[in-house]
Amino acid sequence: MAQKLAATARTGRDNQRYSEQGERLVAGVVPLSIDKTKVLVIQSSRRSSWVLPKGGWETDEGTAQEAACREAWEEAGIVCTVQRDLGKIPEMRPASQLSASAPRALYQFYEVSVEREAAQWPEQHKRGRQWMTYLQAKQVLASRPELMEALNRSSILR
């Protein structure tokens, strides 16, 4: 099934899925280059750090995989194909960093190949994107252990 590419990004958490334990269900991607020597990272929405494309799995999406590919399009402007399920990653932030607007999350990541990078995408006005080697990504993702775990589970060449 072809991925639907929206012109605008979804906002809000009205349709957000939660686990039985109350964790926000988040789906994300580890976008690798064809030769697996680089990963595509994006700027956080405040442009203060680099992250992997990820976001909430919503109630109208049949699978976390569908949500992950939608987030990849909205945040990074990529059309991607899932190559591998990287599994669930539990929340790793300390309780002091959790809040009503940043609740405990359960992450589901997928390794994807990038089919196309669009020149225009829904969140281009607030996010840059950049291809990085494993060592570069390891450095910029160091403060986000759940993102490092996803990267480490991928088949990127180290």
Side-chain angles (χ1 to χ4, degrees):
M1 177 173 80
Q3 183 179 342
K4 249 170 53 178
L5 305 177
T8 58
R10 295 181 181 199
T11 58
R13 295 200 173 147
D14 293 341
N15 297 320
Q16 174 66 59
R17 288 181 190 252
Y18 292 88
S19 73
E20 291 178 6
Q21 291 74 35
E23 301 158 305
R24 180 173 173 243
L25 299 179
V26 174
V29 299
V30 179
L32 298 184
S33 59
I34 299 290
D35 64 3
K36 299 187 179 191
T37 61
K38 294 193 174 162
V39 61
L40 186 69
V41 295
I42 59 170
Q43 288 177 303
S44 64
S45 57
R46 292 191 271 314
R47 293 187 183 255
S48 59
S49 60
W50 293 96
V51 296
L52 294 170
K54 61 174 179 36
W57 176 13
E58 298 190 357
T59 55
D60 66 337
E61 294 170 309
T63 65
Q65 183 173 316
E66 182 182 341
C69 290
R70 175 185 50 79
E71 289 291 343
W73 165 249
E74 290 178 358
E75 295 185 349
I78 58 172
V79 177
C80 60
T81 301
V82 171
Q83 299 299 324
R84 204 157 64 95
D85 184 337
L86 299 175
K88 290 179 174 54
I89 299 172
E91 181 65 68
M92 296 181 182
R93 289 177 294 172
S96 62
Q97 290 181 8
L98 302 175
S99 67
S101 62
R104 181 167 299 284
L106 178 61
Y107 301 88
Q108 174 70 55
F109 273 93
Y110 299 91
E111 181 177 311
V112 299
S113 59
V114 176
E115 306 304 322
R116 179 169 64 91
E117 282 183 69
Q120 296 182 327
W121 68 95
E123 294 188 11
Q124 71 182 45
H125 63 286
K126 64 180 180 179
R127 296 182 191 274
R129 64 185 177 199
Q130 185 173 329
W131 287 100
M132 294 185 181
T133 64
Y134 173 80
L135 289 176
Q136 291 168 322
K138 182 179 174 182
Q139 208 169 19
V140 301
L141 298 176
S143 66
R144 298 294 300 270
E146 73 284 0
L147 303 183
M148 270 309 304
E149 178 65 23
L151 181 64
N152 284 332
R153 290 183 185 186
S154 79
S155 59
I156 191 170
L157 298 176
R158 288 162 175 79

